[in-house]
Amino acid sequence: QVQLVESGGGLVQAGGSLRLSCAASGRTASSNAMGWFRQAPGKEREFVAAITWSGASTYYANSVKDRFTISRDNPKNTVYLQMNSLKPEDTAVYYCAAREVRIASTMKNEYDYWGQGTQVTVSS
């Protein structure tokens, strides 16, 4: 089992920045590929970013590429999502997710563990 706890959400003006953190604990937490997803009201949960267990490879949704950066600190069992140049359409609940394997995925149904989510609200 892997437990995930997100933090760092909040209210920010358009053009601003936030950094989300996801603290992982449990069995082999540092060996898991990790991802960030988001869900806006009335919409499906969508892929945002993913990172392999080593951090060597990262993947982004087109809508956040060049604005968001995913990274991880394995000794701290923590994954980050740095979000810059935020837009009102980035408003959503952001979820951290972990896979049982080391290879990252953009598909939400390939993730085995989920955090409780953290709200990000971007005002115009």
Side-chain angles (χ1 to χ4, degrees):
Q1 286 284 343
V2 175
Q3 293 77 43
L4 305 171
V5 178
E6 303 99 332
S7 62
L11 173 64
V12 64
Q13 289 189 328
S17 298
L18 281 175
R19 188 176 81 156
L20 305 183
S21 298
C22 174
S25 61
R27 186 174 60 88
T28 64
S30 63
S31 299
N32 302 103
M34 303 288 291
W36 286 96
F37 291 78
R38 66 187 182 186
Q39 188 166 17
K43 294 189 175 181
E44 294 284 325
R45 190 170 299 189
E46 65 176 5
F47 170 73
V48 175
I51 189 166
T52 55
W53 74 276
S54 67
S57 297
T58 56
Y59 307 86
Y60 297 95
N62 288 335
S63 59
V64 306
K65 199 171 294 184
D66 299 326
R67 298 188 298 123
F68 290 10
T69 302
I70 188 171
S71 61
R72 67 190 299 161
D73 185 339
N74 281 348
K76 294 184 178 179
N77 285 337
T78 302
V79 176
Y80 304 99
L81 185 68
Q82 178 66 43
M83 306 186 295
N84 298 330
S85 302
L86 282 161
K87 305 175 181 180
E89 51 263 44
D90 294 318
T91 295
V93 177
Y94 283 70
Y95 296 91
C96 175
R99 301 192 72 196
E100 285 279 8
V101 297
R102 298 183 172 190
I103 301 171
S105 172
T106 63
M107 308 297 292
K108 60 180 180 289
N109 61 356
E110 294 186 351
Y111 284 80
D112 303 290
Y113 305 100
W114 293 85
Q116 82 289 349
T118 186
Q119 176 71 47
V120 171
T121 303
V122 184
S123 63
S124 56

